[in-house]
């Protein structure tokens, strides 16, 4: 069977040449990142960089390497007007004016998994630029305006999962560096028996989330009348990928440890692109079971947000808890 390539899929999309070139550049760079991630200690990619990022987190060498790879590749693409990275304080504007698109990315999500050889990923959100010479405020568009969202997950296989607003498709990286369609029309089943939440934070959650998770943990003996299983990869990319493949819910809620920070995950680099992929696959992506992430008006580039996404019936159950 001949599988369509990602290049062929991109060429057939109903989008302009500029967006096609942005997607092509991102896909090529993710394939290169996959090689560096797989090389690990053999290519000097392991360990800490000795630097802190804008979130005050210690950067791994791979955070810095992958951020540079994506930033350079995208800023060299004529269709790009500017980029913003989870790893950098400020957005960067392309030196050649005229690009029509903005790209926002988490170059290496789940970087605490690097040293234990567990899955990590890259997440990218693409917006139209309101101006050929954008300023930072131009990046602050609600996720509903994304023209594309994708992630690459570097696991046993490297996969790229993409939406341009008309469903979700998954591509697997072949040995020759090309991506081929392996998962057509990805859909999240509305029913699930699997949830993902970091239960070590339970005592810090708000009451509704406490009640909801308590119901799940009681299983067949509790109000839900069925048993649930739990998974937590500690890389949002891998947890969301599992949900796109076989259903489930992923929750990183607000908690009281840092009450002025509304959650751990970042709206622009994690929440919005994952929310578009999940909605396009028929799931729900909310802050709290009710409010769609995609309708949140961003106020800051590095804004944090609570996240509850996945199988629709379970997100409804969270809302009702
Ligand atoms: P790192 O990239 O710093 O490892 O953070 C990953 C992440 O933002 C997200 O991908 C995970 O779902 C979440 O953090 C895990 O957080 P906990 O370590 O608090 O479980």
């Amino acid at each position: 069977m001949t599988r369509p390539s990602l290049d062929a899929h991109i060429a057939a999309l109903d989008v302009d040449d500029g967006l096609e070139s942005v997607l092509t550049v991102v896909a090529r760079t993710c394939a290169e990142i996959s090689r560096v991630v797989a090389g690990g200690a053999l290519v000097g990619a392991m360990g800490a960089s000795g630097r802190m990022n804008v979130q005050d987190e210690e950067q791994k060498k791979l955070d810095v390497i992958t951020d540079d790879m994506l930033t350079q590749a995208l800023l060299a693409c004529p269709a790009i007007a500017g980029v913003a990275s989870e790893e950098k304080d400020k957005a960067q504007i392309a030196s050649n004016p005229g690009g029509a698109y903005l790209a926002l990315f988490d170059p290496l999500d789940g970087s605490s998994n690097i040293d234990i050889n567990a899955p990590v990923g890259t997440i990218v959100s693409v917006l139209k630029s309101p101006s050929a010479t954008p300023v930072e405020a131009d990046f602050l568009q609600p996720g509903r305006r994304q023209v594309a969202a994708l992630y690459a997950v570097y696991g046993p296989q490297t996969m790229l999962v993409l939406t341009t607003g008309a469903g979700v498709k998954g591509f697997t990286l072949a040995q020759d560096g090309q991506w081929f369609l392996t998962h057509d029309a990805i859909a999240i089943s509305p029913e699930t028996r699997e949830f993902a939440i970091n239960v070590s934070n339970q005592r810090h959650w708000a009451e509704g989330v406490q009640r909801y998770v308590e119901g799940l943990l009681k299983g067949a003996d509790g109000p839900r009348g069925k048993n649930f299983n739990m998974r937590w990869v500690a890389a949002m990319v891998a947890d969301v990928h599992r949900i796109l493949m076989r259903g489930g819910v992923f929750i990183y809620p607000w908690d009281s440890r840092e009450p002025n920070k509304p959650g751990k995950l970042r709206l622009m680099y994690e929440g919005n692109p994952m929310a578009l992929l999940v909605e396009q696959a028929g799931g729900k992506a909310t802050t709290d079971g009710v409010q769609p992430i995609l309708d949140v008006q961003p106020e800051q580039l590095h804004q944090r947000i609570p996240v509850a996404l996945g199988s629709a019936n379970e997100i409804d159950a969270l809302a009702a808890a």
Side-chain angles (χ1 to χ4, degrees):
M1 183 179 102
T2 315
R3 295 183 181 278
S5 68
L6 177 58
D7 287 344
H9 171 70
I10 291 173
L13 286 171
D14 188 16
V15 300
D16 64 29
D17 292 352
L19 183 53
E20 282 187 15
S21 65
V22 172
L23 296 175
T24 303
V25 165
V26 170
R28 198 180 56 226
T29 311
C30 289
E32 286 161 10
I33 290 175
S34 172
R35 274 200 294 276
V36 180
V37 168
L42 297 177
V43 296
M46 302 296 278
S49 72
R51 285 157 45 178
M52 306 297 277
N53 70 8
V54 56
Q55 325 275 343
D56 221 17
E57 297 160 341
E58 188 188 56
Q59 287 177 307
K60 305 274 184 187
K61 277 189 196 157
L62 267 177
D63 287 320
V64 177
I65 294 168
T66 56
D67 184 36
D68 286 349
M69 288 169 80
L70 263 176
T71 303
Q72 283 169 22
L74 281 164
L75 287 179
C77 171
I80 281 289
V83 300
S85 165
E86 189 196 283
E87 297 297 332
K88 293 225 181 69
D89 193 6
K90 296 204 179 320
Q92 287 172 269
I93 307 308
S95 49
N96 294 330
Y101 292 97
L102 305 173
L104 300 91
F105 50 84
D106 179 352
L108 204 72
D109 176 63
S111 48
S112 64
N113 279 355
I114 295 167
D115 295 338
I116 59 162
N117 198 7
V120 290
T122 297
I123 312 173
V124 182
S125 158
V126 185
L127 293 162
K128 270 229 146 210
S129 178
S131 143
T133 50
V135 294
E136 197 155 296
D138 292 327
F139 288 76
L140 303 180
Q141 303 178 39
R144 195 90 46 214
R145 294 216 205 125
Q146 291 171 106
V147 291
L150 66 92
Y151 65 78
V153 57
Y154 313 110
Q157 302 103 44
T158 293
M159 280 190 65
L160 187 150
V161 176
L162 166 71
T163 183
T164 52
V168 181
K169 289 188 191 293
F171 301 81
T172 301
L173 187 63
Q175 301 255 330
D176 65 359
Q178 282 205 75
W179 304 91
F180 291 98
L181 181 69
T182 47
H183 296 70
D184 205 359
I186 293 173
I188 300 176
S189 101
E191 277 297 328
T192 183
R193 287 171 176 253
E194 203 159 66
F195 68 98
I197 189 166
N198 185 341
V199 179
S200 69
N201 298 324
Q202 180 167 12
R203 67 194 181 284
H204 306 296
W205 299 334
E207 278 177 19
V209 179
Q210 297 260 11
R211 273 194 301 275
Y212 170 69
V213 174
E214 216 171 276
L216 301 180
L217 295 176
K218 286 198 171 126
D221 303 330
R224 304 300 306 278
K226 60 179 185 178
N227 292 325
F228 285 81
N229 196 7
M230 199 202 85
R231 290 284 182 268
W232 187 250
V233 186
M236 186 192 197
V237 165
D239 279 312
V240 170
H241 187 66
R242 185 185 59 252
I243 289 169
L244 284 161
M245 294 296 108
R246 67 176 192 211
V249 279
F250 169 92
I251 307 176
Y252 210 116
W254 171 90
D255 73 44
S256 60
R257 283 172 297 173
E258 295 181 275
N260 53 345
K261 282 192 186 159
K264 176 176 183 188
L265 303 179
R266 290 77 173 178
L267 173 61
M268 307 305 286
Y269 315 108
E270 293 167 316
N272 274 340
M274 290 311 202
L276 188 63
L277 285 158
V278 166
E279 281 202 6
Q280 283 294 318
K284 289 193 173 181
T286 68
T287 59
D288 54 358
V290 181
Q291 184 187 29
I293 291 173
L294 294 178
D295 292 335
V296 173
Q297 173 59 55
E299 288 166 4
Q300 292 168 23
L301 218 40
H302 295 288
Q303 182 170 340
R304 292 171 189 258
I305 187 141
V307 170
L309 56 77
S311 293
N313 294 351
E314 230 24 68
I315 297 300
D316 292 344
L318 168 65

